[in-house]
Amino acid sequence: MATGGYGGGGMGGGGYGASGMGGGGYGASGMGGYGQGAQQPGLQPSPQLTQKITQEANRLQVEFQNASNGIENVMRGTVRQMCTCGLKCCDDKSLNGQAFQACMEQCQAPMSQISNVAKRELDNLQSRYLRCAQVCQDQANDHFVSSQDQAQVENRVADCFTQCTDSHIQLIPGMLERIKEMATKFN
């Protein structure tokens, strides 16, 4: 989605394994070139800046995936309970079609609730990261005056993306704790 600006690859990637929750990846949003809103055409970012932004996005992704490994163990207990419950539904020959369906839905409800919490948390973190990336873009546009300013602007942009990544890495433990807390309620 990058259209001539700095961007590190977009969202997508790591999930939660057995839980079926995906979409944990983070990257820069692929915003347009700096100077885009100004009268002069925007400059293309240097390969070094593009690489730096991609590195920051990858760093956030790696931190998120490392932290999420602990959730999988908690979620496995919930998955096991869901499967055990489902087997009981299958073994109960007294259940008619509608009762069987209700039994299975009841077994799946905890996992569904955990998945919804995880999706909401992931969407929130993604949205916050993209807003932070947009601030970096806006700052680049605000400080860009001429092509002679490109190196200085790129340094500011790189610093801004590093700060975005650092601040969002700090949010991951709290997010994962909220997901774990929900999962442990059902174990």
Side-chain angles (χ1 to χ4, degrees):
M1 175 160 120
T3 58
Y6 43 88
M11 305 300 194
Y16 280 99
S19 71
M21 294 177 282
Y26 294 92
S29 63
M31 297 169 282
Y34 32 107
Q36 191 168 316
Q39 297 297 329
Q40 72 271 12
L43 294 177
Q44 295 297 315
S46 68
Q48 294 82 7
L49 178 60
T50 302
Q51 181 180 13
K52 174 67 174 169
I53 293 170
T54 301
Q55 286 172 344
E56 290 302 317
N58 289 341
R59 187 166 66 97
L60 182 61
Q61 175 66 25
V62 166
E63 289 294 325
F64 179 79
Q65 286 181 346
N66 289 340
S68 69
N69 289 337
I71 289 180
E72 279 193 31
N73 291 332
V74 174
M75 306 257 330
R76 286 181 187 172
T78 306
V79 171
R80 186 172 198 273
Q81 287 179 349
M82 180 181 71
C83 292
T84 302
C85 179
L87 287 172
K88 289 178 184 175
C89 294
C90 291
D91 289 343
D92 189 347
K93 303 298 181 201
S94 70
L95 297 176
N96 64 21
Q98 204 171 21
F100 174 76
Q101 184 66 29
C103 182
M104 292 298 289
E105 286 174 8
Q106 185 176 358
C107 294
Q108 295 170 359
M111 196 59 171
S112 178
Q113 290 175 352
I114 295 167
S115 294
N116 288 339
V117 167
K119 182 181 181 334
R120 190 171 49 247
E121 291 286 344
L122 291 168
D123 288 349
N124 182 44
L125 188 64
Q126 175 185 14
S127 177
R128 290 177 72 168
Y129 187 73
L130 288 174
R131 285 193 310 265
C132 190
Q134 183 61 51
V135 168
C136 296
Q137 171 70 34
D138 292 344
Q139 287 176 358
N141 288 336
D142 292 344
H143 292 100
F144 181 79
V145 177
S146 71
S147 61
Q148 295 171 345
D149 296 332
Q150 184 168 357
Q152 183 181 15
V153 170
E154 286 192 353
N155 287 336
R156 286 183 184 194
V157 170
D159 290 345
C160 184
F161 269 92
T162 297
Q163 290 172 0
C164 283
T165 302
D166 290 343
S167 67
H168 285 79
I169 286 172
Q170 292 173 5
L171 297 174
I172 291 172
M175 179 192 72
L176 295 176
E177 191 56 40
R178 288 186 293 275
I179 296 168
K180 277 185 181 179
E181 197 174 292
M182 174 61 102
T184 54
K185 287 181 182 179
F186 297 105
N187 288 339

